[in-house]
Amino acid sequence: MAATTVTAEEVDRFEALADQWWDPAGKFAPLHKFNPVRLAYIREKVIAHFALNEIAREPLEGLEFLDIGCGGGLVSEPMARLGATVTGIDPGARNIEAARIHAGQSGLEIDYLATTAEAVADSSKSFDVVLNLEVVEHVADVALYLRTASSLVKPGGLMVVATINRTARAFALAIVGAEYVLGWLPKGTHRFDKLVTPEELASNLRRNGMDVIERCGVTYSPLQDRWRRSRDLGVNYMLVATKPK
């Protein structure tokens, strides 16, 4: 049996909320608010990297995407609408079922699989773009997970990572504030010791043959009630890496 970085505790936590993935006012409301900034970032970086036509109706047509930890499909669906061929994977069967139902209702063809990144890697498949969004902070073994995720990127391909930094400010805002004060997320969603710094993430990716080409912070504006890109990587951040041909 292949080694895995999945833990039952993390799977159970998100499966318990599977019926709320597409409710913008439910438990995943923070992801719905965060989604526009990360979707725009992914679209921009993929189009630039592959020199695609940004004004095309489906600019990502012809590219194969893997969305690791896809949950209910909040990112998989927009990528499919942009023309990408999308495979969404999640170890939670209830999450995958929710994703399949919503994709069917939306008229989208997405290959949703209740499986792990390690199992996909064992099949020797690889993808033009691997999306690694809000997953790193939930795995049991970061080094093994990033080695696996890197192996899933085709030569010349791209990986986009979004996660939370391990800083005192991130602890105060992303854990204490978001989970215990504001109640944006269920208590226990994040553990401080499992958070990964941009330096650790970049170092791990480089060891696995990836070149980090950009880092970008994401900050929340309470006055505007929206997320935006920033130079501040102190709490939430995104990172883009490519695999040389």
Side-chain angles (χ1 to χ4, degrees), residues 43-79:
R43 183 184 188 278
E44 177 186 311
K45 298 307 168 185
V46 171
I47 286 175
H49 180 73
F50 292 99
L52 304 174
N53 181 2
E54 65 177 330
I55 64 172
R57 182 178 179 182
E58 296 184 338
L60 307 185
E61 187 176 6
L63 294 180
E64 291 186 293
F65 274 57
L66 175 67
D67 186 6
I68 302 176
C70 64
L74 299 186
V75 174
S76 293
E77 286 201 14
M79 294 301 108

Side-chain angles (χ1 to χ4, degrees), residues 74 115 226 232:
L74 299 186
T115 188
R226 70 180 181 90
D232 181 3

Side-chain angles (χ1 to χ4, degrees), residues 120-142:
V120 176
D122 283 346
S123 71
S124 299
K125 283 216 65 172
S126 58
F127 301 82
D128 299 298
V129 180
V130 171
L131 301 179
N132 193 340
L133 310 175
E134 284 73 52
V135 176
V136 175
E137 68 269 29
H138 297 292
V139 302
D141 185 330
V142 171

Side-chain angles (χ1 to χ4, degrees), residues 52-169:
L52 304 174
N53 181 2
E54 65 177 330
I55 64 172
R57 182 178 179 182
E58 296 184 338
L60 307 185
E61 187 176 6
L63 294 180
E64 291 186 293
F65 274 57
L66 175 67
D67 186 6
I68 302 176
C70 64
L74 299 186
V75 174
S76 293
E77 286 201 14
M79 294 301 108
R81 288 193 182 93
L82 289 170
T85 299
V86 181
T87 299
I89 64 170
D90 196 287
R94 289 191 64 204
N95 295 330
I96 290 298
E97 183 61 21
R100 285 174 177 159
I101 289 171
H102 197 273
Q105 293 170 341
S106 302
L108 296 170
E109 292 187 14
I110 299 172
D111 188 15
Y112 283 122
L113 303 171
T115 188
T116 65
E118 293 80 20
V120 176
D122 283 346
S123 71
S124 299
K125 283 216 65 172
S126 58
F127 301 82
D128 299 298
V129 180
V130 171
L131 301 179
N132 193 340
L133 310 175
E134 284 73 52
V135 176
V136 175
E137 68 269 29
H138 297 292
V139 302
D141 185 330
V142 171
L144 173 59
Y145 173 70
L146 290 175
R147 183 164 70 247
T148 302
S150 298
S151 75
L152 291 165
V153 182
K154 290 180 181 179
L158 209 63
M159 182 192 297
V160 182
V161 185
T163 188
I164 302 172
N165 202 343
R166 193 177 64 254
T167 63
R169 189 150 51 95

